[in-house]
Amino acid sequence: IRRANDRYGLSMQEYIRKTRADMQKIASKPEFRGTGITECTTLIGYDKDAERKILIAALYPYVQRPACEISDIVDKMSKEEKAQVIKAYINQRGNRRHRPGRAFEMAYYDFDICANFGAYRDLQRHRILTQQRQPLTPYLGYKIPQEIKDSGYENGFRDAMEGAKNAYEEIAQKHRLEAQYIVPLAYNIRWHMAMNLREAYQMLELRSSMHGHADYRHVAQQMFREIEK
């Protein structure tokens, strides 16, 4: 904090400010304007050579050979031999706190997600991965909790959400970024998550458990299904 406004801090502020302005100028082109309102969890990229990379990395600490030679050995393995290595490497896990070995960091998965901001705030807490989000707005729709519908408050809920949207639009005319603070957590946001398979184990096991909120459990379950495919 002490250095935020020194020579380097001011230079960093200007760098970030100018970069944002340049990117916002490009992003304002018509072809980048949003279309459609959908909740989704989409796998947009993954490591097609994942199994091979994991096998090489799993064997590497236990043999006295360079990685290129281990790679040649792995390429000659049968399907059964490969499965035996994976099983030996991971089969002793007793619970989710027994994290898989670092070999699983060699494979990656890249997700594009649209879900409510409340779910995002929980999933955003995971740090061993790359995340970027788009601005929070009232334009991607919102989710009404089933409990609200069951208790007969759906109309009041919709009125409150519409009121928040109106307030956002008024504030955003002058303060587009600050207007995000008025958007309720039920509104959807779109964000990007890229992670290795080791982190996917930890995050998806934790966030799909019955103790978690239904909204982020749903996202975690969809992520698992995408990886499984």
Side-chain angles (χ1 to χ4, degrees), residues 40-42 44 110-125 129-135 140 187-195 203 215-216 219-220 223:
C40 64
T41 301
T42 307
I44 57 175
D110 194 355
F111 290 94
D112 182 51
I113 303 167
C114 183
N116 68 69
F117 191 63
Y120 164 78
R121 290 293 289 145
D122 267 303
L123 296 175
Q124 181 232 4
R125 293 163 56 196
L129 44 78
T130 299
Q131 296 197 58
Q132 293 190 100
R133 73 170 178 87
Q134 296 178 0
L140 291 177
Y187 272 106
N188 291 329
I189 186 171
R190 186 176 286 114
W191 78 99
H192 165 256
M193 296 180 76
M195 69 195 77
M203 192 191 83
D215 289 350
Y216 68 68
V219 173
M223 292 173 79

Side-chain angles (χ1 to χ4, degrees), residues 15-101:
Y15 164 65
I16 293 172
R17 189 180 299 114
K18 288 182 176 179
T19 300
R20 285 177 174 170
D22 289 345
M23 290 303 298
Q24 191 60 48
K25 185 177 179 181
I26 293 172
S28 64
K29 293 179 179 180
E31 58 265 35
F32 290 117
R33 289 176 187 159
T35 57
I37 299 172
T38 55
E39 288 188 34
C40 64
T41 301
T42 307
L43 182 64
I44 57 175
Y46 66 96
D47 197 335
K48 296 179 180 178
D49 202 23
E51 183 184 63
R52 182 172 179 272
K53 290 180 178 179
I54 292 168
L55 286 164
I56 294 167
L59 290 164
Y60 185 86
Y62 300 98
V63 298
Q64 295 287 302
R65 285 177 176 268
C68 59
E69 292 183 9
I70 301 172
S71 175
D72 292 337
I73 295 170
V74 166
D75 289 340
K76 295 174 183 176
M77 283 182 172
S78 66
K79 185 177 180 179
E80 291 72 22
E81 289 172 326
K82 292 177 181 178
Q84 185 179 16
V85 174
I86 296 293
K87 184 177 180 181
Y89 194 69
I90 203 171
N91 211 42
Q92 297 302 321
R93 292 184 74 224
N95 58 65
R96 64 175 174 80
R97 292 173 179 80
H98 296 169
R99 299 198 67 181

